[in-house]
Amino acid sequence: MVPSILFEVMLVFLLGIGSQWVAWRYRMPAIVLMSITGLLIGPVLGLMDPEEDFGDLYNPIISVAVAVILFEGSLNLNYKEIRGLGRPVFRISTIGAFLSWILGSVTAHYIAGLSWAAAFVIGGLFIVTGPTVIMPLLRQSKLKPRPAKILKWEGIIVDPIGALLAVFAFEIISYLTSANPDGSALLTFFAASVFAAMLGWACGRGIGWMFESGYIPEFLKSPAVFTVVIGCFTIADEVIHETGLLAVTAMGVTLANMGISSLADMRHFKENVSMLLISAIFIMLTASLQVDTLLQVFDPGIMGYVLLMMFVVRPLSIFLSTIGTDLSLNEKLFVGWIAPRGIVALTVSGYFASILSDAGYVDASLITTITFALVFTTVVAHGFSIGWLAKKLHLSLEGKPGTLIVGSNNFTVNLAKSLQKVKAPVMIVDSSWERLRKARVAGVPFFHGEMLSEQTEYQLDTNPYEYLIAGTEYNSYNALICTTFMPEFGRTNVFKVSPYRNNFEGDIVGKVAGRILFNKKLSLEYLNSKLEHHYVFRQTSITNQYSYKQYLNDKDEDTVLMYIMKPSGRMRFYTEEMRVTAEPGDKIVSLTPPVKEMKKIRKRLENQRNNGRTNSENAQATTSE
């Protein structure tokens, strides 16, 4: 066992974030690694048991963390995002959820051997595919926008519905099996659900109004939101257990659709907090499982139930609920397969296992085992198959990572053309139709709109692009672009042209956001002037016979190194802050003086003169004859 609670907290966070890093480094499903890590340090090696060690604080910690995660996910549910997808999302979140509940409950009764009471409770619980597992999978799979949005909306909307269905099923069963049925409990449940939704809406509107009216300073906005989220969740949950999830979801959706300008900054902060909480909670939950629970997983009835839920119940509920929608067969197959269960299922199942046990249901102890079996199996199966299946069904963004260039001018258009030649996706964005004329004439893909506009956010699909270059003539705007999109693209994938002019380094803009492309001495004016002097973009292949060192020795001293294209399709842009080297198989793209071109022109002119002399001599010879 660990020496202290403090050491255990440190170890939980260290293992959680460490699992996330290993998953990112080796392109593996993070949820799978976290689950395996938790099992190893918990029931397998016996190093910790968070549920026992934290005691009475364990459940409140988990509940608050789930509330914050669900709220952060619901902040992304802007109605503008599902234009054209409203009908499928509504059908899957209502009809599909209901079908999944009924079919899952029947399967739990006849295959897993649960009583009808436990079966309907667990059936309601297992319709959830929450943000704790869906979001990490979507980040790693690079899906096309339609299936990604459907899975995201379903996961966040159905999360509280599943918990409420489980509560509703228990209340109905308690009412029907009671010796003296009393409908007041049912009325209380429905009233509490309405109260939770209204409370969430009121909290969202209230905090949003305070932000817009300036009653909360910038440095207090994130702490204030966190406090209100926890308060909203706790008040609703104290009335009826699990209605707190509905309250925080309603609060998040309300805030997301109020159009608050400062919400984006808070969203990025909350994404980071949510990532930390997901990492820690998954480690804690899996480490708290008992060895007996793991051994029960291999019961034939439980294994059969898990397989039927994955291969029959989920696909059938999706296909039936989406009849008459515009979803393609491939989209239905994909959404019908991807349904991993996560933190909400694990946490809520423990609560219902205890109350069903107290109510006298002897099979209540199986609920935790079945929940873990379904969670772990779906996380592993869907985590490893989502990328492969997306490619097979043509629903992934295949091809090389793309580059999004903000600003249309002579240099950026020629840079985009060089990217086209190496078959890398590229797009130029500019708010001026006149400036975009260069891109249109050159045949470069373009988008006419303001990059920082909310409309552009929903009209321009940025998923194919991993790199962003701010290349306008306005240095402050370039810095703002880099600052805004750094959380989305990553610090190492956001670049800007040098803001310095005449080697002056006192401009503070140069130190704000984004890596400076190539060299801080190479401003946009300088690069455009080189093109005016007929500099050209040239590709050079590095081989075993022609090394990178030889290339650096042979290149002209005025050559500007642009980027390296790897055989995998990934690019490394040259910057002063990043050490870039090329290996055999790489292609170096550079802006070079037109030495070769001038030699070709001189040779062509010389050939023309020689041909002219020859023709003249032949004509003179013919005349003399």
Side-chain angles (χ1 to χ4, degrees):
M1 298 295 287
V2 294
S4 67
I5 294 294
L6 180 60
F7 186 87
E8 184 168 334
V9 171
M10 179 275 295
L11 189 60
V12 164
F13 282 111
L14 179 64
L15 292 174
I17 297 302
S19 299
Q20 292 275 8
W21 182 85
V22 171
W24 166 80
R25 182 69 178 81
Y26 297 101
R27 297 182 175 274
M28 299 173 64
I31 298 296
V32 176
L33 282 182
M34 289 188 290
S35 300
I36 294 174
T37 302
L39 291 175
L40 286 176
I41 65 170
V44 176
L45 300 177
L47 297 178
M48 68 168 68
D49 184 350
E51 186 173 10
E52 179 180 331
D53 297 338
F54 285 95
D56 293 339
L57 289 176
Y58 178 80
N59 287 327
I61 290 172
I62 299 293
S63 297
V64 169
V66 171
V68 172
I69 293 167
L70 192 56
F71 170 75
E72 187 275 323
S74 62
L75 275 180
N76 298 310
L77 298 184
N78 193 301
Y79 298 136
K80 295 178 181 178
E81 188 181 273
I82 57 168
R83 286 173 179 169
L85 291 175
R87 192 176 184 188
V89 168
F90 177 77
R91 290 277 199 90
I92 291 172
S93 302
T94 53
I95 299 173
F98 180 77
L99 290 172
S100 181
W101 178 34
I102 300 301
L103 294 173
S105 301
V106 172
T107 305
H109 176 71
Y110 287 107
I111 304 300
L114 295 180
S115 63
W116 281 113
F120 270 97
V121 168
I122 204 171
L125 186 59
F126 285 164
I127 72 170
V128 301
T129 60
T132 57
V133 283
I134 283 295
M135 295 304 189
L137 292 185
L138 294 182
R139 275 193 290 268
Q140 79 178 44
S141 59
K142 294 187 178 296
L143 285 177
K144 289 182 178 178
R146 277 174 60 91
K149 290 177 182 178
I150 290 172
L151 289 172
K152 182 179 78 171
W153 274 79
E154 180 204 9
I156 297 172
I157 292 174
V158 174
D159 226 29
I161 293 177
L164 289 176
L165 269 180
V167 176
F168 173 69
F170 178 74
E171 294 293 345
I172 288 289
I173 290 163
S174 300
Y175 173 76
L176 295 177
T177 57
S178 175
N180 300 306
D182 183 7
S184 60
L186 287 178
L187 291 175
T188 302
F189 166 74
F190 287 116
S193 299
V194 173
F195 168 75
M198 295 300 295
L199 176 65
W201 175 84
C203 289
R205 296 294 298 182
I207 198 75
W209 174 78
M210 293 184 74
F211 283 176
E212 291 182 317
S213 302
Y215 287 110
I216 300 179
E218 291 295 326
F219 73 95
L220 278 181
K221 284 186 175 179
S222 291
V225 169
F226 268 113
T227 303
V228 174
V229 167
I230 295 172
C232 180
F233 170 79
T234 304
I235 292 171
D237 215 56
E238 287 295 313
V239 176
I240 292 288
H241 202 63
E242 303 309 331
T243 57
L245 298 179
L246 177 62
V248 295
T249 303
M251 178 180 170
V253 173
T254 301
L255 270 173
N257 291 276
M258 287 183 66
I260 301 172
S261 57
S262 59
L263 193 62
D265 298 332
M266 290 188 297
R267 185 183 291 122
H268 295 318
F269 174 70
K270 284 175 176 53
E271 285 175 355
N272 296 333
V273 173
S274 180
M275 179 66 68
L276 185 65
L277 291 175
I278 289 173
S279 305
I281 298 306
F282 245 101
I283 296 291
M284 290 176 63
L285 287 172
T286 50
S288 298
L289 293 170
Q290 303 300 315
V291 176
D292 294 341
T293 302
L294 299 181
L295 295 177
Q296 282 181 323
V297 168
F298 299 100
D299 180 88
I302 294 177
M303 294 179 67
Y305 170 75
V306 170
L307 293 175
L308 283 174
M309 287 291 290
M310 293 172 62
F311 291 97
V312 178
V313 173
R314 169 67 178 185
L316 192 59
S317 63
I318 293 298
F319 271 85
L320 291 176
S321 64
T322 55
I323 293 175
T325 65
D326 61 347
L327 291 187
S328 66
L329 177 61
N330 285 356
E331 289 173 331
K332 291 180 181 180
L333 288 171
F334 185 80
V335 175
W337 168 246
I338 302 299
R341 276 67 170 187
I343 290 177
V344 172
L346 281 174
T347 55
V348 179
S349 67
Y351 165 74
F352 282 109
S354 62
I355 63 171
L356 284 171
S357 179
D358 293 341
Y361 294 96
V362 294
D363 56 352
S365 60
L366 290 176
I367 289 181
T368 303
T369 301
I370 293 174
T371 303
F372 170 73
L374 187 63
V375 168
F376 189 77
T377 305
T378 54
V379 162
V380 172
H382 299 153
F384 280 108
S385 65
I386 186 170
W388 173 83
L389 184 62
K391 290 180 180 178
K392 287 292 182 182
L393 297 176
H394 307 292
L395 296 176
S396 66
L397 298 168
E398 300 177 3
K400 299 177 179 178
T403 303
L404 198 62
I405 302 176
V406 182
S408 178
N409 51 64
N410 199 21
F411 169 71
T412 57
V413 169
N414 279 277
L415 177 63
K417 288 171 65 177
S418 76
L419 291 167
Q420 284 183 309
K421 288 181 180 178
V422 294
K423 296 180 171 54
V426 64
M427 172 82 72
I428 290 181
V429 181
D430 203 302
S431 59
S432 169
W433 187 253
E434 179 61 29
R435 286 195 296 265
L436 283 171
R437 182 177 180 278
K438 293 180 182 293
R440 298 198 305 271
V441 171
V444 174
F446 64 89
F447 179 87
H448 179 223
E450 169 53 58
M451 191 63 193
L452 297 173
S453 168
E454 185 180 0
Q455 286 298 114
T456 300
E457 180 182 351
Y458 298 110
Q459 293 174 4
L460 176 62
D461 178 21
T462 60
N463 286 316
Y465 310 104
E466 287 196 14
Y467 311 98
L468 182 141
I469 296 175
T472 74
E473 62 269 34
Y474 305 109
N475 298 327
S476 299
Y477 182 76
N478 291 339
L480 183 59
I481 289 288
C482 292
T483 302
T484 302
F485 290 93
M486 190 178 290
E488 180 178 343
F489 286 84
R491 186 174 297 275
T492 58
N493 292 346
V494 174
F495 309 92
K496 63 184 176 184
V497 294
S498 175
Y500 300 120
R501 297 179 182 177
N502 301 323
N503 298 333
F504 174 69
E505 300 188 12
D507 188 358
I508 194 171
V509 173
K511 301 180 174 56
V512 177
R515 297 174 184 269
I516 295 176
L517 275 176
F518 321 133
N519 188 305
K520 61 186 176 184
K521 298 179 181 179
L522 306 181
S523 65
L524 183 62
E525 291 177 346
Y526 176 88
L527 295 168
N528 279 323
S529 70
K530 292 300 181 185
L531 290 171
E532 291 174 1
H533 287 85
H534 309 292
Y535 273 52
V536 294
F537 282 84
R538 180 172 286 120
Q539 292 182 32
T540 304
S541 297
I542 302 300
T543 64
N544 291 321
Q545 293 73 33
Y546 189 65
S547 66
Y548 183 55
K549 186 176 181 180
Q550 287 176 287
Y551 168 76
L552 293 178
N553 291 331
D554 294 345
K555 72 178 181 64
D556 190 281
E557 62 179 8
D558 290 328
T559 295
V560 179
L561 299 176
M562 295 277 130
Y563 58 89
I564 294 175
M565 175 62 73
K566 299 286 184 180
S568 63
R570 303 197 70 82
M571 290 182 291
R572 297 293 301 276
F573 285 93
Y574 281 90
T575 70
E576 287 188 340
E577 301 173 3
M578 297 173 65
R579 184 173 177 269
V580 180
T581 58
E583 301 172 349
D586 294 347
K587 290 181 180 179
I588 300 176
V589 177
S590 57
L591 184 62
T592 63
V595 178
K596 293 183 178 180
E597 285 68 18
M598 292 303 295
K599 288 181 179 179
K600 290 179 182 178
I601 292 172
R602 291 192 190 100
K603 187 174 182 180
R604 186 166 65 248
L605 291 173
E606 187 176 340
N607 289 336
Q608 289 175 354
R609 284 194 293 268
N610 290 336
N611 290 335
R613 291 194 193 100
T614 303
N615 293 335
S616 177
E617 290 172 358
N618 290 337
Q620 290 176 3
T622 303
T623 303
S624 62
E625 291 175 0

